[in-house]
Amino acid sequence: MRLLTAALMLTAAPALAETYACTVEAFTTFSQDDTAFIEANLRKTYELTPQRNSVTLTMRSADFEGYTATYAVTRRDLLDTFAQREDRASVDLLVLPPRPADEIDREGKFNVTLTAQGNHYTNSWLLTCTRP
């Protein structure tokens, strides 16, 4: 049984240090009235680099200050990899396929969800990622 579990974990591990280019497919927030905020979030672009125990996400935008954040992988199974980070204002969660490169080879892209939650907001982005 341990051998089977180890084999499943190895097949679920992403390719190391390959960087993907991501665009925002959809954005959701509590305040649907702030169309400028929604439109600005739809224009963001991201670079995503999955590694064995972490995921690095870089955001670029003409509307917001860019950033790079590292998310710790907290769970990996056959369907999803979950990575989380906490800062002083929010808890952020990334969910991506366990083997993004395989997904690109099959589908030409893969999707990632990014959610940022604070005490007075929840924002969620659906990203579509490809090789640059």
Side-chain angles (χ1 to χ4, degrees):
M1 186 63 171
R2 286 185 189 163
L3 184 58
L4 177 60
T5 302
L8 288 174
M9 289 304 290
L10 285 175
T11 61
L16 297 180
E18 186 170 359
T19 298
Y20 302 99
C22 306
T23 57
V24 179
E25 183 83 17
F27 174 72
T28 302
T29 187
F30 285 154
S31 175
Q32 297 299 312
D33 297 334
D34 192 348
T35 57
F37 179 69
I38 293 168
E39 290 298 320
N41 273 281
L42 290 168
R43 288 190 293 268
K44 289 180 176 179
T45 61
Y46 293 86
E47 288 181 1
L48 181 83
T49 306
Q51 298 170 325
R52 185 164 307 283
N53 296 315
S54 65
V55 178
T56 301
L57 184 70
T58 300
M59 186 278 291
R60 291 190 172 79
S61 171
D63 304 292
F64 301 100
E65 184 176 338
Y67 67 85
T68 297
T70 300
Y71 293 73
V73 172
T74 56
R75 190 175 104 211
R76 184 177 280 125
D77 59 35
L78 292 175
L79 298 177
D80 296 302
T81 296
F82 296 85
Q84 180 179 333
R85 90 177 176 108
E86 297 178 29
D87 65 21
R88 61 183 177 83
S90 66
V91 174
D92 301 350
L93 181 67
L94 275 171
V95 182
L96 59 146
R99 299 186 59 80
D102 291 352
E103 194 79 15
I104 286 176
D105 291 343
R106 279 191 311 275
E107 304 293 329
K109 63 180 181 166
F110 65 92
N111 289 327
V112 173
T113 57
L114 167 62
T115 303
Q117 183 172 358
N119 69 337
H120 63 280
Y121 68 91
T122 297
N123 296 333
S124 187
W125 297 260
L126 174 63
L127 307 178
T128 298
C129 303
T130 60
R131 289 187 177 98

